[in-house]
Amino acid sequence: METPCSLSAKFEGSFAYYTVKDRMPQILTKVIDTVHRNKNKFLELHGEEGIEAEKKALSFFSKLRNEMQTDKPILPLTDEWPDTQIWNQYLDYQKTLLSDGEEPSWFRSPWLYVECYLYRRIQEGLWLSPPVSEYDVFRDVKNQSFFQSQQAILALCSHLQEIKGKVNVLSNDEVRDEIYKLVQVSLWGNRCDLSISGGQDNSQKTSILSSLEDFQAFILVDDMNSVWNILSKNRDGNTESRTRVDIVLDNAGFELVTDLVLADAIMSLGLATEVHFHGKVMPWYVSDTTKHDFDWTVQQCLAINNKWMSKCGQTWKENLKKRRWVYHEHLFWTLPHEYCTMAEVAPDLYTELQKSDLVFFKGDLNYRKLTGDRKWDFIVPFSQALRSFHPAPLCSVRTLKADVQVGLQTGVGERLTATDTDWLISGKYGIIQFSPVV
Ligand code: F6P
Ligand code: MG
């Protein structure tokens, strides 16, 4: 049964609510510290104007922290960006979900909405503080997380070059095994996000490859067969035809490298002719990938003094130049909307995804938006929880960090709840969950 999805119709199920008291103020405090610490840099770059901007941004963020901690009403955005109106209309929509006269506030709104709103307000604070408007408050932690994962990245890059060295002799089963390994690496790479850690180091210190077998028991849904059925069609098929894989990216740092390695292997092993990446237009959930992070990562790999890593960097740069790899930005990814509204809110993006043979959605936030962050029963089929969102065959590759999960075998959710109270939010478990176009 198709569950309705429309901004104008009230949805029957309930949103996941959550306390905003812990991690969100902590992230805002980090933002305040970072802006303050960079005062001298702003002075160097912009003179007195830079100092004025720093003061203005700090006062905005302190006020914002107070609004959040004292459960004030959610305020409309006051900047003038292409998405401002959409956000403000969404606030009006939130009002329709409450009883008459009630105002959406920080504690009385869906968690997905207020958490996205927090990051958009941080951006508002910067945009209203020129000339520091373009400053990415999370850039330093993102870059550090890349450097702290260097050993794991080196191991992964050399593994990739090894596979590429034997492309012509690998059997179909061996190709499948290699891709399966790299999908798992990309899955566990999703543990490294900096939003769950409140901005603290959460990098990958050692190679994941040698731990895959131990982690296998923690994959709660493994639809690799369906993923492989799609990818292998391309390998068996006509070499002249174009086949496209999309990756809706999540975190920069180690996770992004795992995605680039997977994309490289998919193309090198003849499973797609082009890969399209989708990133965020503004700093988001601390570690999410922006265009700057993407280019920076490719450049860092290229420039490093290690044969395998720089070989990866060279290939990736070349792929981008030849447009075998295409990077896309769309402001829909930084809206609070669940994905079943994409066809209505961002029809151009929906049409773009329809061109894909397979879309990977990385990470937890994407999963929450795919499923609307609703309190689904654990056994509801994934395709049903997606409601009208079926642009192409898709696969969520995500570690569990928020309490929404669908498509489990009967009894699995209940058994885990009884034995491991944190199973939904600890990032210890993962899924490779597929949906065909229905
Ligand atoms: O757990 C905190 C949180 O901010 C969640 O809201 C969000 O789902 C997650 O972290 C971000 O994880 P990811 O980077 O995998 O989307
Ligand atoms: Mg993230």
Side-chain angles (χ1 to χ4, degrees):
M1 188 191 56
E2 182 85 335
T3 313
C5 176
S6 161
L7 284 176
S8 50
K10 263 197 189 182
F11 178 66
E12 301 295 311
S14 55
F15 288 101
Y17 278 73
Y18 188 77
T19 169
V20 295
K21 282 182 205 115
D22 54 0
R23 209 170 291 130
M24 284 165 51
Q26 188 187 328
I27 283 168
L28 201 42
T29 302
K30 280 231 165 238
V31 168
I32 293 173
D33 288 349
T34 308
V35 171
H36 187 60
R37 252 192 301 110
N38 279 280
K39 193 174 169 177
N40 287 341
K41 186 167 150 193
F42 299 149
L43 177 67
E44 256 169 55
L45 288 171
H46 312 287
E48 274 309 308
E49 259 190 285
I51 298 291
E52 285 310 309
E54 181 246 11
K55 275 196 211 138
K56 196 168 175 196
L58 285 184
S59 122
F60 184 98
F61 295 141
S62 305
K63 191 167 160 289
L64 179 61
R65 188 169 52 184
N66 181 270
E67 283 168 32
M68 182 200 292
Q69 285 175 323
T70 55
D71 192 25
K72 291 281 184 312
I74 301 288
L75 301 175
L77 297 175
T78 58
D79 53 25
E80 284 174 8
W81 274 78
D83 63 350
T84 306
Q85 226 191 337
I86 309 177
W87 271 94
N88 291 343
Q89 280 163 356
Y90 198 77
L91 172 57
D92 291 339
Y93 162 68
Q94 285 296 322
K95 288 180 186 164
T96 68
L97 302 179
L98 295 170
S99 334
D100 281 350
E102 273 193 288
E103 285 279 310
S105 71
W106 285 86
F107 296 1
R108 281 176 308 116
S109 298
W111 177 35
L112 177 61
Y113 172 47
V114 280
E115 203 179 18
C116 291
Y117 176 76
L118 166 68
Y119 288 95
R120 183 57 180 79
R121 286 292 304 275
I122 292 173
Q123 211 47 42
E124 182 192 28
L126 291 164
W127 281 333
L128 294 176
S129 308
V132 302
S133 309
E134 298 300 322
Y135 175 63
D136 180 345
V137 276
F138 304 122
R139 185 163 297 158
D140 291 349
V141 281
K142 285 188 272 192
N143 292 356
Q144 269 165 29
S145 138
F146 174 88
F147 291 123
Q148 280 154 346
S149 307
Q150 197 115 138
Q151 287 313 314
I153 293 177
L154 283 176
L156 193 54
C157 288
S158 73
H159 178 77
L160 175 66
Q161 298 305 337
E162 216 179 285
I163 304 173
K164 288 170 76 168
K166 43 185 191 187
V167 159
N168 296 328
V169 296
L170 289 178
S171 68
N172 253 353
D173 284 350
E174 285 167 332
V175 171
R176 184 197 183 281
D177 289 349
E178 291 301 344
I179 290 296
Y180 183 36
K181 262 190 219 161
L182 294 179
V183 170
Q184 289 175 80
V185 170
S186 167
L187 166 64
W188 300 121
N190 180 243
R191 279 183 175 162
C192 300
D193 90 88
L194 295 169
S195 130
I196 197 165
S197 67
Q200 300 298 336
D201 175 22
N202 199 11
S203 53
Q204 180 63 38
K205 303 285 184 310
T206 52
S207 169
I208 285 193
L209 285 156
S210 50
S211 312
L212 293 182
E213 259 176 53
D214 300 337
F215 290 165
Q216 191 111 36
F218 297 98
I219 304 181
L220 300 179
V221 179
D222 187 346
D223 290 335
M224 187 59 203
N225 283 341
S226 309
V227 170
W228 177 247
N229 281 343
I230 294 208
L231 290 175
S232 58
K233 264 191 222 139
N234 304 341
R235 186 172 159 90
D236 304 338
N238 179 355
T239 45
E240 297 299 304
S241 67
R242 282 156 49 108
T243 43
R244 166 170 166 174
V245 167
D246 284 51
I247 305 182
V248 181
L249 295 169
D250 187 4
N251 304 301
F254 181 67
E255 181 173 359
L256 175 58
V257 177
T258 67
D259 298 334
L260 297 173
V261 167
L262 175 63
D264 189 334
I266 283 176
M267 286 202 7
S268 311
L269 296 172
L271 307 173
T273 54
E274 51 192 271
V275 178
H276 292 241
F277 299 92
H278 301 265
K280 306 289 195 295
V281 288
M282 66 184 86
W284 201 245
Y285 278 67
V286 186
S287 42
D288 285 10
T289 306
T290 61
K291 173 86 168 72
H292 180 280
D293 300 326
F294 188 88
D295 292 341
W296 182 89
T297 304
V298 172
Q299 188 53 38
Q300 285 300 317
C301 291
L302 180 68
I304 217 117
N305 186 15
N306 171 275
K307 190 169 141 196
W308 303 128
M309 225 169 127
S310 71
K311 183 102 182 48
C312 284
Q314 272 164 26
T315 311
W316 300 344
K317 196 168 175 191
E318 193 68 12
N319 284 347
L320 289 162
K321 198 166 144 207
K322 299 255 168 72
R323 295 197 58 83
R324 293 188 286 250
W325 281 10
V326 183
Y327 183 90
H328 300 255
E329 277 180 325
H330 199 290
L331 55 78
F332 184 78
W333 303 119
T334 48
L335 290 176
H337 297 61
E338 49 197 316
Y339 291 163
C340 68
T341 66
M342 185 190 284
E344 183 185 344
V345 179
D348 56 329
L349 179 59
Y350 195 82
T351 308
E352 188 60 47
L353 294 183
Q354 282 178 312
K355 295 178 195 160
S356 187
D357 294 288
L358 176 66
V359 186
F360 286 105
F361 282 85
K362 288 300 313 288
D364 194 59
L365 178 60
N366 273 325
Y367 194 76
R368 293 171 64 196
K369 289 184 165 187
L370 284 166
T371 57
D373 215 23
R374 296 308 209 296
K375 289 179 181 164
W376 299 103
D377 279 347
F378 296 133
I379 54 167
V380 164
F382 185 37
S383 300
Q384 189 184 324
L386 291 170
R387 289 149 297 152
S388 52
F389 186 70
H390 299 287
L394 62 88
C395 180
S396 161
V397 178
R398 163 243 187 183
T399 56
L400 281 60
K401 301 174 215 163
D403 39 12
V404 53
Q405 182 58 54
V406 296
L408 296 184
Q409 297 290 325
T410 308
V412 171
E414 289 70 16
R415 181 175 50 74
L416 285 165
T417 307
T419 53
D420 186 349
T421 40
D422 276 352
W423 70 281
L424 279 165
I425 55 167
S426 60
K428 180 169 149 193
Y429 295 89
I431 52 162
I432 300 167
Q433 191 163 39
F434 176 80
S435 167
V437 174
V438 292

